[in-house]
Amino acid sequence: MSFFEQPALQYATGPHPHYAFIWLHGLGADGRDFAGFVETFAGITPKAMRFIFPHAPTQAVALNGGVHMPAWFDLYGTRPEDPQDEAGIQRASLAITDLIREQAGHGIPAERIILGGFSQGGAVALYTALTGPQHLAACVGLSTYLPLAHRFAEGLPHVNDRTPVFLGHGTDDLMVPYAFALKTHALLGTHGITAELHSYPIAHDISDTETDDLRTFLASALARNDLAARG
């Protein structure tokens, strides 16, 4: 049975896309929430890009009283010591890994794919990129954290240790506290992964300044990717 209940939204900025940008929405939302990213980020490279916005399946979320909503995995609490839905996180990660593999069949290998997300979607994006088997062009996590952090000590592939990573977070975020971003950034540094942490005076949201910073970051990452491919 497929993880996804409906196909992802997809937009291409031109024929034969060279890059793909896979973006995962937050809890209770769907892929349509970030469709505006097509216009926002289409100009980060002169090459055509495919934007892919998958929809999380609908499932019960314990933190919200068991209410069914779009969710990448179940949530039991917001404190660091609360248990995590390890099986659900890994199931979502495998589904995104398969989605990345599918792009190779469309002429876009993993090393030309940006994977990112917001909040719960960002958690899946970070976990998939930093513990998965595929080398990516860049990884983005906004208003999020790295789940199952203990798995970093289990000898996982770490093929993206040198992949550009952008972390953006609001210092006034009460839903996913800024301390989570600091902890994630420190953890990655401990394991030799250099991630850029950008903070903003906002709550659980995305600001125009953050979008501008991310656009600059991704344009630079793809330019370096192009240069490496030519070299």
Side-chain angles (χ1 to χ4, degrees):
M1 182 177 177
S2 173
F3 175 82
F4 297 107
E5 298 171 347
Q6 54 182 313
L9 297 179
Q10 299 196 32
Y11 307 88
T13 61
H16 312 296
H18 184 79
Y19 285 107
F21 192 155
I22 301 174
W23 189 263
L24 311 183
H25 62 77
L27 178 68
D30 63 31
R32 288 180 286 271
D33 273 29
F34 287 94
F37 271 20
V38 177
E39 182 177 356
T40 300
F41 294 101
I44 61 175
T45 173
K47 298 180 178 179
M49 179 179 292
R50 175 179 293 120
F51 288 82
I52 304 167
F53 303 100
H55 309 285
T58 299
Q59 58 183 298
V61 177
L63 183 62
N64 290 339
V67 173
H68 283 71
M69 62 182 62
W72 297 104
F73 54 88
D74 199 359
L75 284 172
Y76 306 121
T78 58
R79 299 171 303 173
E81 63 269 24
D82 287 329
Q84 298 183 66
D85 179 17
E86 183 161 352
I89 293 166
Q90 292 185 8
R91 187 164 55 248
S93 179
L94 287 173
I96 299 304
T97 298
D98 287 343
L99 185 60
I100 293 170
R101 288 197 184 102
E102 287 177 13
Q103 295 311 303
H106 299 294
I108 309 176
E111 59 265 24
R112 297 207 303 265
I113 293 177
I114 301 165
L115 176 61
F118 176 79
S119 195
Q120 194 188 46
V124 174
L126 288 177
Y127 181 79
T128 302
L130 299 175
T131 68
Q134 301 153 310
H135 178 67
L136 302 170
C139 180
V140 181
L142 304 185
S143 304
T144 193
Y145 63 98
L146 177 65
L148 306 182
H150 64 278
R151 299 208 70 214
F152 261 60
E154 296 180 1
L156 293 167
H158 298 298
V159 298
N160 284 308
D161 284 2
R162 298 186 180 277
T163 294
V165 177
F166 183 102
L167 302 174
H169 215 107
T171 55
D172 300 326
D173 193 337
L174 298 180
M175 190 170 297
V176 182
Y178 181 61
F180 284 37
L182 293 174
K183 184 176 181 180
T184 293
H185 185 253
L187 175 67
L188 298 186
T190 298
H191 289 275
I193 301 171
T194 302
E196 291 190 13
L197 174 57
H198 298 255
S199 59
Y200 307 92
I202 58 174
H204 196 64
D205 202 353
I206 301 174
S207 72
D208 290 341
T209 302
E210 185 174 18
T211 300
D212 290 342
D213 289 345
L214 180 54
R215 190 162 46 231
T216 299
F217 171 87
L218 291 177
S220 177
L222 296 191
R224 292 196 302 271
N225 191 288
D226 289 339
L227 185 61
R230 289 197 297 269

